[in-house]
């Protein structure tokens, strides 16, 4: 190929670049007639991906780019369906399919290992972005519209509107937004790109359409392509399907640079929240640094940020945690490089806004001290090694293209070449060399960009219970004024539009439009299951080691599983905290920060967690405390030695550190309740039906959060004693199993070394169960049960609703049909009822074949009874909608496709281990695959009816606002309302702050 001369499908080749680190060749093309840019990374990876990306710089906070992202996926010229995206989710075997709005760009990526599938997806996505219908009704559905509620009161609804209400009711996300918006007051980053609920209603339809016309023209498009399909095939496709219909256009203005300040600034803002304002505020310092296209400095700051904050022993994190000025690091803390000019943030949560000045002074003083003292060489070296490790691992898992796309867009969206920010190895080597030659280099960066930089903003957010009410009052006031200006025509128009929308939503897609959608056939997907190799080796003294020997690029994945399913009472409740301490403490003679530096030098990953499940057939419960590690084979000696020390010599005597970790753990739970309300409510509902899910709820749910809170009231010395006893019980050879994944050539050597080098663990034999009583007054909340739903009331403006009922177990013949039903509900019925009609951000159904529980959930849901009603009607509704063989076939293809996702070697090894441990044999899996492939409408209908009968035993739990409970209708006969009325009267538990 010669640059710039010949045209390929109307594209001129701009440049070619070899990228040996990805074993890829990059070609950069521009479409001559329209200006559309394409970058293609050609390599061996069969997981191909494409992304349509557009710089979408907002001019206000109406969320226009975000609403557009939702709405282009609601029907296009060739695919005039209500929701082609959903149809593709139903039937494609994609390994990735989503859309994202960033503060300055919108991206539509998809990936698949099946070429035909990838081009199907590209046809649908390309048509969506270039030729969307942008129906006014869809703008109202996804954006905003006026509605009357049952009592006749005027309100606002819309998917994005509700999504952003949810985002604005979380202290963390408000804080993140303020930090970004506040640092760039004179550029587009000063606006809320997702949409501020107070601004969204001001967006009108004409402006919305205009934004699409100017921002989604091919002139403004950057198409990223990755994988083993040659570029020419894509270029011809793009030309034929889309670009030949366009003429040249002009690109909108790029985002500008933020004028620098001469003085630091400060913002103090009250946000909705239940916590004590003197103890749960958050204070963060933010700096504006340099442009993101400056790849070398960006990488230097990525490394610096990791050194300062990345591990428990990091100098800035350690100083802040020990300062007593707050509880732990604030959420925005870290380095942000996915915007035009990069930023660095650091601060504390669990503090008081009165301490703003103190915290500022402390942070600045700490940075000065760190510069003066210089960095621990082990810490720097460990951090650099972790960066190298991540790059080596990158090529081995799935979604490589997606990761590279994000890196490429960092610069490409802002005028750089696509590879300027994509390259890693060369830039990293230069940085490594520089650090070696100029020992003060990192310190100089800190001095210049943090200490001497006046463009600094301190953001303090203070929770205030009154704020939620004020927000609600202000919105009511706005609606009241709006209504006062309305004539009778307006009311009629609103009702009519709502009726039109409802009719539109309920009307089925025209069959010819559905038939026009490209799709796979059953023959395009494999009938055989994918088998992961695994061998169980018996090491000395009967410890088994489940080994998956596959090419893993010299990386060793070694996981230590400690069986803890037999523990109960407080011993069980204390396990998650024990797990957290395992990777955060020192050993005698080595304090935790030094230990953390050592771990950093050797491991690419080192973490612990707890997994709960049961055996498919015996139903015997398992709880596993995992220590999961990965390291390069050349460091095996040091790695095994450190693992043994961490396991056997953990030093619990640093009680100040223990307390820090306990507070952090509790705070992480607290902030995750609003983000993951569906998960917490789901666990509660499941626990009402199953002993094993009860275990999981105690270890990972609301009960665990409450327990951590109770533990914090206890003397830390007592907690320490409890942990020591528990640790002594749990870390025992007889409880141990190993899971090892590595290159085949390494297995023999490693398995012979392990018993010797983990000598401490091997020497620890049986011990009796401990009797631990720490939080004597702690009362576990009673579980929801059949006919006794519960509501967990917290500070949120949207709800998370979960309903669990008995379903099939994985070894039962019904499993295939019920799995299919959960997929159909998630991608059709619930989507339509709860998302399109109800305005919830998400809704889904799932079947857990190990505990035999079928679960419904909604996510960021403005409704309560309407969603429960949808759950209760889902099975019969699906039956009424009709189950034609084609619908079943597309769902079967999508379900089989889930197994086509590439997995990293580490993930493969763990999955193989779990399958063996939990009794899921390959024979059983193939049997279920065969059943799935052979499903008939009759079998599915039978299971719909059987699940319908199981609704009698449904258990309901929800995370919701107080408001949602008060607004429940009092005098209706429908069962959902009755369930909830019970909740409102008897079962409310208030989770404060
Ligand atoms: Zn959204």
């Amino acid at each position: 190929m010669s640059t710039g001369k010949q045209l390929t499908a109307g594209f001129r080749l701009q440049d070619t670049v070899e990228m040996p680190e990805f074993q890829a060749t990059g070609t950069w093309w521009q479409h001559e007639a329209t200006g559309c840019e394409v970058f293609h990374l050609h390599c061996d990876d069969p997981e191909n991906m494409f992304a349509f990306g557009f710089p979408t710089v907002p001019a206000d906070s109406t969320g226009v780019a975000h609403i557009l992202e939702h709405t282009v996926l609601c029907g296009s010229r060739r695919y005039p369906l209500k929701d082609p995206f959903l149809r593709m989710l139903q039937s494609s075997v994609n390994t990735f399919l989503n859309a994202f709005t960033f503060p300055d760009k919108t991206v539509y990526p998809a990936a698949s290992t099946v070429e035909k599938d990838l081009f199907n997806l590209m046809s649908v996505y390309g048509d969506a972005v270039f030729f969307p219908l942008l129906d006014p009704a869809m703008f109202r559905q996804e954006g905003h519209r006026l509605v009357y509620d049952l009592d006749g009161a005027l309100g606002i609804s819309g998917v994005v509107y509700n999504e952003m209400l949810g985002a604005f009711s979380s202290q963390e996300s408000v804080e993140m937004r303020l930090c970004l918006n506040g640092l760039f007051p004179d550029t587009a980053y000063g606006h809320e790109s997702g949409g501020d609920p107070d601004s969204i209603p001001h967006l009108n339809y004409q402006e919305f359409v205009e934004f699409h016309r100017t921002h989604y023209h091919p002139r403004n498009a950057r198409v990223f392509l990755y994988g083993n399909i040659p570029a020419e095939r894509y270029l011809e496709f793009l030309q034929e399907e889309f670009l030949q219909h366009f003429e040249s256009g002009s690109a909108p203005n790029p985002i500008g640079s933020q004028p620098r300040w001469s003085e630091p600034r400060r913002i103090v803002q009250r946000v909705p929240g239940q916590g004590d304002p003197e103890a749960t505020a958050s204070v963060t310092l933010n700096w504006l640094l340099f442009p993101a296209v400056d790849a070398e400095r960006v990488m230097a700051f990525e490394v610096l940020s990791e050194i300062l904050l990345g591990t428990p022993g990091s100098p800035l994190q350690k100083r802040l945690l020990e300062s007593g000025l707050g509880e732990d690091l604030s959420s925005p803390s870290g380095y942000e490089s996915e915007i035009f000019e990069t930023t660095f943030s650091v601060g504390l949560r669990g503090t008081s806004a009165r301490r703003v000045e103190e915290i500022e002074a402390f942070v600045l003083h700490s940075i000065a001290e760190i510069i003066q003292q210089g960095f621990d060489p082990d810490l720097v070296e460990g951090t650099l090694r972790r960066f190298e490790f991540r790059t080596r691992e990158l090529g081995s898992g799935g979604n490589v293209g997606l990761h590279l796309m994000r890196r490429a867009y960092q610069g490409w969206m802002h005028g750089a070449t696509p590879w300027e920010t994509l390259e890693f190895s060369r830039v990293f080597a230069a940085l490594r060399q520089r650090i070696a030659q100029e020992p003060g280099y990192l310190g100089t960066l800190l001095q210049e960009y943090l200490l001497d930089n006046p463009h600094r903003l301190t953001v303090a957010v203070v929770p205030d219970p009154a704020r939620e009410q004020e927000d609600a009052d202000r919105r009511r006031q706005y609606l009241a004024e709006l209504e006062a200006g309305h004539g009778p025509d307006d009311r009629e128009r609103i009702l009519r539009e709502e009726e039109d929308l409802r009719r539109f939503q309920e009307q089925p897609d025209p069959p010819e439009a559905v038939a026009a959608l490209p799709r796979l056939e059953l023959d395009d997907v494999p009938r055989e299951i994918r088998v992961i190799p695994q061998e169980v080796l018996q090491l000395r003294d009967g410890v088994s080691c489940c080994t998956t020997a596959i090419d893993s690029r010299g990386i060793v994945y070694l996981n230590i599983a400690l069986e803890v399913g037999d523990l109960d009472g407080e011993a069980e409740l204390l396990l998650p905290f024990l797990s957290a301490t395992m990777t955060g403490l020192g050993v005698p003679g080595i304090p935790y920060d030094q230990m953390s530096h050592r771990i950093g030098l050797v491991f690419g990953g080192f973490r612990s967690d707890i997994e709960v499940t049961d055996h498919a057939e015996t139903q015997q419960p398992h709880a596993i405390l995992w220590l999961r590690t990965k390291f390069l084979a050349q460091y095996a000696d040091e790695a095994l030695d450190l693992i043994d020390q961490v396991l056997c010599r953990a030093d619990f005597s640093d009680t100040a550190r223990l307390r820090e970790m306990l507070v952090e753990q509790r705070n992480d739970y607290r902030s995750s309740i609003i983000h993951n309300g569906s998960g917490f409510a789901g666990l509660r509902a499941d626990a009402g039906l199953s002993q094993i899910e009860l275990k999981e709820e105690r270890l990972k749910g609301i009960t665990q959060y409450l327990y951590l809170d109770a533990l914090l009231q206890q003397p830390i010395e007592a907690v320490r004693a409890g942990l020591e006893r528990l640790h002594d019980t749990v870390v025992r050879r007889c409880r141990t199993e190993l899971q090892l994944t590595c290159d085949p050539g390494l297995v023999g050597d490693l398995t012979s070394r392990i018993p010797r080098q983990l000598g401490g663990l091997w020497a620890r034999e049986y011990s009796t169960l401990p009797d631990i009583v720490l939080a004597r007054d702690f009362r576990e909340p009673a579980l929801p049960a059949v006919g006794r739903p519960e509501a967990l009331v917290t500070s949120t403006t949207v709800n998370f609703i979960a309903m669990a009922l008995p379903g099939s177990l994985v070894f039962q013949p019904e499993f295939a049909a019920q799995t299919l039903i959960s997929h159909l509900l998630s991608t059709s019925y619930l989507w339509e009822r709860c998302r399109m009609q109800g305005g919830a951000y998400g809704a889904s159904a799932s079947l857990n074949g190990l505990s035999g529980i079928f679960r419904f959930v909604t996510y960021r849901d403005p409704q309560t009874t309407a969603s429960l009603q949808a759950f209760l009607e889902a099975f019969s509704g699906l039956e009424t909608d009709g189950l034609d063989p084609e619908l079943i076939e597309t769902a079967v293809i999508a379900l089989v496709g889930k197994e086509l996702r590439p997995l990293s070697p580490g993930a493969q090894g763990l999955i193989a281990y779990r399958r063996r441990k939990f009794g899921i044999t390959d024979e059983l899996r193939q049997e279920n695959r065969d059943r799935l492939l052979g499903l008939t409408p009759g079998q599915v209908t039978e299971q719909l009816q059987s699940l319908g009968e199981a609704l009698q035993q449904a258990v309901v739990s929800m995370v919701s606002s107080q408001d949602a409970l008060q607004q429940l209708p009092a005098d209706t006969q429908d069962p959902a309302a009755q369930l909830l009325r019970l909740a409102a009267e008897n079962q409310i538990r208030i989770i404060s702050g």
Side-chain angles (χ1 to χ4, degrees):
M1 271 181 288
S2 63
T3 305
K5 292 200 183 122
Q6 263 175 317
L7 287 182
T8 307
F11 283 86
R12 195 173 292 286
L13 180 65
Q14 311 250 87
D15 215 337
T16 300
V17 57
E18 289 305 322
M19 308 209 77
E21 60 190 296
F22 311 122
Q23 284 121 40
T25 305
T27 47
W28 186 24
W29 308 79
Q30 186 163 35
H31 188 251
E32 196 153 71
T34 64
C36 175
E37 288 184 35
V38 172
F39 182 66
H40 178 249
L41 258 188
H42 194 202
C43 62
D44 285 345
D45 194 340
E47 190 190 20
N48 285 279
M49 74 89 61
F50 69 80
F52 292 99
F54 304 89
T56 48
V57 176
D60 52 40
S61 297
T62 57
V64 57
H66 183 191
I67 298 171
L68 195 55
E69 174 225 310
H70 281 241
T71 315
V72 299
L73 300 172
C74 297
S76 62
R77 197 176 63 180
R78 263 181 86 173
Y79 306 113
L81 299 152
K82 276 180 286 182
D83 204 329
F85 173 74
L86 177 68
R87 295 268 176 186
M88 293 317 280
L89 270 186
Q90 275 169 11
S91 63
S92 149
V93 298
N94 66 79
T95 53
F96 189 86
L97 181 64
N98 213 331
F100 303 106
T101 313
F102 293 86
D104 54 11
K105 59 182 173 263
T106 310
V107 180
Y108 299 84
S112 182
T113 56
V114 175
E115 183 174 330
K116 182 174 163 193
D117 189 44
L118 189 85
F119 280 102
N120 289 348
L121 291 165
M122 198 165 187
S123 173
V124 173
Y125 255 23
D127 208 53
V129 296
F130 292 126
F131 308 111
L133 297 178
L134 300 184
D135 190 306
M138 291 297 98
F139 169 67
R140 294 200 301 272
Q141 173 185 290
E142 298 297 322
H144 66 90
R145 63 183 187 277
L146 291 171
V147 290
Y148 291 104
D149 69 14
L150 292 173
D151 306 330
L154 192 65
I156 299 173
S157 191
V159 174
V160 168
Y161 181 79
N162 290 324
E163 182 189 337
M164 296 314 294
L165 268 187
F168 272 68
S169 62
S170 140
Q171 180 173 335
E172 276 77 20
S173 72
V174 171
E175 186 185 6
M176 304 285 275
R177 283 156 208 285
L178 280 175
C179 291
L180 176 69
N181 301 161
L183 210 44
F184 295 88
D186 306 314
T187 77
Y189 295 126
H191 305 304
E192 173 46 58
S193 62
D196 179 329
D198 287 337
S199 302
I200 292 173
H202 298 299
L203 179 67
N204 71 43
Y205 178 69
Q206 285 69 32
E207 292 161 337
F208 167 74
V209 171
E210 183 57 19
F211 193 88
H212 176 266
R213 200 184 60 78
T214 48
H215 289 78
Y216 280 48
H217 187 278
R219 180 72 193 84
N220 201 37
R222 315 272 192 282
V223 183
F224 180 91
L225 304 166
Y226 167 90
N228 68 3
I229 300 175
E232 289 69 20
R233 210 164 318 158
Y234 284 112
L235 299 179
E236 278 159 22
F237 188 83
L238 287 168
Q239 163 76 339
E240 279 302 303
E241 298 265 317
F242 317 114
L243 299 181
Q244 58 158 319
H245 305 290
F246 282 93
E247 323 230 300
S248 69
S250 58
N253 290 336
I255 201 158
S257 181
Q258 164 65 42
R260 298 304 199 259
W261 303 339
S262 53
E263 293 289 332
R265 299 184 186 179
R266 231 179 243 164
I267 299 176
V268 179
Q269 178 130 336
R270 297 180 306 124
V271 297
Q274 300 289 336
D276 171 5
E278 290 302 315
T280 56
S282 180
V283 174
T284 304
L285 283 70
N286 308 274
W287 290 265
L288 178 55
L289 310 183
F290 42 78
V293 292
D294 188 343
E296 285 189 38
R297 267 188 298 180
V298 167
M299 186 150 330
F301 244 88
E302 278 170 354
V303 167
L304 251 180
S305 173
E306 177 89 7
I307 290 175
L308 292 173
L309 301 173
T311 61
S314 294
L316 188 54
Q317 167 162 349
K318 182 167 186 279
R319 281 177 168 80
L320 280 165
L321 294 191
E322 290 172 358
S323 67
L325 290 168
E327 290 184 330
D328 55 358
L329 290 185
S330 65
S331 311
S333 297
Y335 180 55
E336 172 58 56
S337 63
E338 266 185 289
I339 45 178
F340 179 52
E341 294 178 284
T342 67
T343 65
F344 181 75
S345 306
V346 66
L348 284 163
R349 60 178 176 179
T351 183
S352 157
R354 290 176 207 274
R355 309 192 96 161
V356 167
E357 280 175 39
E358 243 181 306
I359 292 174
E360 280 178 351
F362 185 84
V363 168
L364 297 175
H365 174 75
S366 300
I367 294 172
E369 216 175 60
I370 291 167
I371 297 173
Q372 213 209 340
Q373 292 173 0
F375 294 101
D376 181 328
D378 279 356
L379 175 60
V380 176
E381 179 59 24
T383 308
L384 292 171
R385 283 186 192 174
R386 263 200 309 288
F387 273 72
E388 288 165 323
F389 187 96
R390 274 181 221 153
T391 328
R392 185 192 295 232
E393 208 184 17
L394 171 69
S396 69
N399 286 330
V400 181
L402 192 74
H403 177 85
L404 299 182
M405 170 205 86
R406 291 186 75 148
R407 289 187 61 99
Y409 277 154
Q410 256 170 289
W412 191 17
M413 285 285 175
H414 302 297
T417 66
W419 56 87
E420 210 156 315
T421 47
L422 177 58
E423 270 190 308
F424 176 85
S425 299
R426 190 188 56 79
V427 183
F428 187 79
L431 175 66
R432 214 182 214 299
Q433 195 180 9
R434 183 143 194 194
I435 291 173
Q437 284 168 354
E438 291 176 46
Y441 175 59
L442 294 174
T444 323
L445 289 178
L446 287 184
Q447 184 73 40
E448 181 180 352
Y449 290 106
L450 302 188
L451 292 191
D452 297 344
N453 177 3
H455 199 107
R456 186 182 83 220
L457 173 73
T458 305
V459 171
V461 291
V462 188
D464 180 351
R467 180 64 204 256
E468 200 178 329
Q469 197 53 49
E470 284 171 34
D471 285 350
D473 288 347
R474 193 182 57 252
R475 286 170 195 145
R476 256 194 289 277
Q477 175 73 21
Y478 166 75
L479 285 164
E481 282 165 17
L482 204 63
E483 206 170 12
H486 278 174
D489 291 358
D490 291 301
R491 186 182 165 83
E492 227 167 83
R493 177 182 50 82
I494 292 164
L495 289 169
R496 194 182 57 241
E497 283 180 351
E498 187 65 8
E499 180 55 27
D500 287 350
L501 178 60
R502 203 182 51 79
R503 220 167 327 140
F504 186 87
Q505 287 168 337
E506 284 172 1
Q507 165 199 344
D509 284 321
E512 59 282 6
V514 179
L517 267 185
R519 62 184 202 89
L520 298 178
E521 318 278 320
L522 267 185
D523 290 344
D524 295 321
V525 296
R527 305 191 80 82
E528 309 290 314
I529 55 156
R530 179 167 67 184
V531 174
I532 301 172
Q534 177 176 236
E535 196 182 350
V536 184
L537 305 171
Q538 292 301 322
L539 307 188
R540 214 179 64 207
D541 300 314
V543 175
S544 57
C545 178
C546 302
T547 310
T548 292
I550 42 176
D551 174 15
S552 60
R553 302 187 176 199
I555 297 174
V556 176
Y557 300 84
L558 179 61
N559 300 298
I560 288 94
L562 299 167
E563 175 64 59
V564 290
D566 55 333
L567 271 60
D568 57 12
E570 271 199 74
E572 183 175 32
L573 284 171
L574 195 57
L575 281 168
F577 187 47
L578 177 70
S579 149
T581 62
M582 289 188 84
T583 49
L585 292 177
V587 299
I590 307 177
Y592 79 90
D593 54 332
Q594 292 303 316
M595 196 64 187
S596 151
H597 297 173
R598 288 190 192 189
I599 288 171
L601 271 175
V602 172
F603 292 94
F606 192 83
R607 62 193 184 87
S608 58
D609 57 26
I610 293 194
E611 178 171 7
V612 185
T613 185
D614 52 3
H615 192 278
E617 278 189 80
T618 63
Q619 291 286 291
Q620 199 199 340
H622 288 293
I624 295 169
L625 197 165
W626 283 105
L627 180 64
R628 303 176 199 251
T629 76
K630 46 190 177 185
F631 50 88
L632 293 178
Q634 73 219 56
Y635 301 131
D637 264 335
E638 295 97 314
L640 291 172
D641 178 54
L642 278 169
I643 290 172
D644 201 47
Q645 290 201 45
V646 163
L647 280 174
C648 303
R649 303 183 59 225
D651 179 4
F652 296 89
S653 64
D654 184 349
T655 46
R657 170 73 184 144
L658 273 187
R659 205 180 151 72
E660 270 168 34
M661 294 178 77
L662 186 54
V663 168
E664 192 185 348
Q665 178 105 334
R666 193 272 317 261
N667 289 357
D668 284 346
Y669 264 91
R670 182 161 61 197
S671 63
S672 65
I673 290 174
I674 291 186
H675 291 293
N676 184 24
S678 310
F680 283 96
L683 269 182
R684 298 281 303 161
D686 291 0
L689 283 175
S690 141
Q691 283 302 308
I692 190 71
E693 298 297 327
L694 170 60
K695 221 176 186 32
E696 178 139 10
E697 206 283 325
R698 297 182 87 228
L699 289 167
K700 295 184 170 176
I702 295 285
T703 305
Q704 176 63 212
Y705 163 67
L706 295 173
Y707 178 70
L708 288 168
D709 214 34
L711 213 50
L712 267 170
Q713 316 305 318
Q714 310 308 318
I716 195 71
E717 272 303 331
V719 176
R720 170 199 167 173
L723 280 172
E724 280 176 342
R725 276 206 304 283
L726 185 61
H727 176 264
D728 187 54
T729 305
V730 165
V731 181
R732 292 284 162 179
R733 190 184 70 216
C734 60
R735 293 181 177 272
T736 305
E737 274 193 335
L738 303 173
Q739 192 284 317
L740 173 69
T741 304
C742 61
D743 293 315
L746 295 170
V747 174
D749 176 50
L750 281 168
T751 48
S752 70
R753 275 194 217 192
I754 286 172
R756 192 171 65 244
Q757 288 192 259
L758 298 187
L761 176 63
W762 246 256
R764 294 169 60 90
E765 293 183 33
Y766 183 74
S767 132
T768 51
L769 286 181
D771 182 21
I772 292 178
V773 181
L774 296 174
R776 201 172 288 279
D777 296 333
F778 177 62
R779 293 282 166 273
E780 290 185 35
L783 287 172
V786 182
R788 206 181 69 212
E790 69 173 3
L792 308 153
V793 177
T794 182
S795 158
T796 167
T797 45
V798 282
N799 310 303
F800 304 85
I801 303 172
M803 185 169 94
L805 54 130
S808 152
L809 289 158
V810 64
F811 63 88
Q812 293 174 323
E814 299 82 18
F815 181 72
Q818 292 196 6
T819 303
L820 184 103
I821 289 169
S822 70
H823 178 77
L824 284 176
L825 288 175
S826 302
T827 54
S828 64
Y829 186 85
L830 292 172
W831 184 285
E832 281 167 25
R833 283 282 301 263
C834 301
R835 184 173 159 120
M836 288 168 65
Q837 296 167 30
Y841 185 48
S844 64
S846 59
L847 174 65
N848 180 341
L850 285 168
S851 54
I853 287 183
F854 196 100
R855 182 205 274 183
F856 290 95
V857 292
T858 62
Y859 180 73
R860 289 191 183 169
D861 186 351
Q863 314 280 346
T864 48
T865 36
S867 300
L868 275 174
Q869 195 70 46
F871 295 169
L872 292 170
E873 289 167 9
F875 301 124
S876 54
L878 195 57
E879 204 182 329
T880 317
D881 286 354
L883 291 163
D884 62 85
E886 198 165 310
L887 180 71
I888 292 177
E889 188 178 305
T890 52
V892 168
I893 290 169
L895 284 169
V896 173
K898 287 190 176 165
E899 218 191 68
L900 299 176
R901 278 160 215 227
L903 295 168
S904 74
Q908 290 187 47
L910 271 175
I911 289 174
Y913 171 85
R914 289 198 182 102
R915 285 185 183 147
R916 185 191 67 92
K917 180 96 177 167
F918 307 143
I920 304 171
T921 61
D922 289 334
E923 293 71 37
L924 175 62
R925 293 175 54 230
Q926 185 65 53
E927 223 172 278
N928 277 332
R929 168 73 56 88
D930 294 343
R931 284 207 189 99
L932 191 64
L933 290 167
L935 276 180
T936 63
Q939 287 169 324
V940 179
T941 307
E942 201 177 298
Q943 287 314 306
L944 281 173
Q945 286 162 359
S946 130
L947 285 166
E949 280 159 31
L951 284 172
Q952 307 282 345
Q953 295 171 64
V955 176
V956 171
S957 174
M958 57 188 242
V959 171
S960 66
S961 65
Q962 188 72 50
D963 219 27
L965 289 182
Q966 282 160 354
Q967 283 169 12
L968 291 175
D971 56 345
T972 144
Q973 285 304 305
D974 77 69
Q978 282 176 0
L979 283 179
L980 277 165
R981 203 161 52 246
L982 265 173
E985 283 159 9
N986 306 324
Q987 293 294 326
I988 298 173
R989 263 179 291 282
I990 297 192
I991 314 269
S992 58

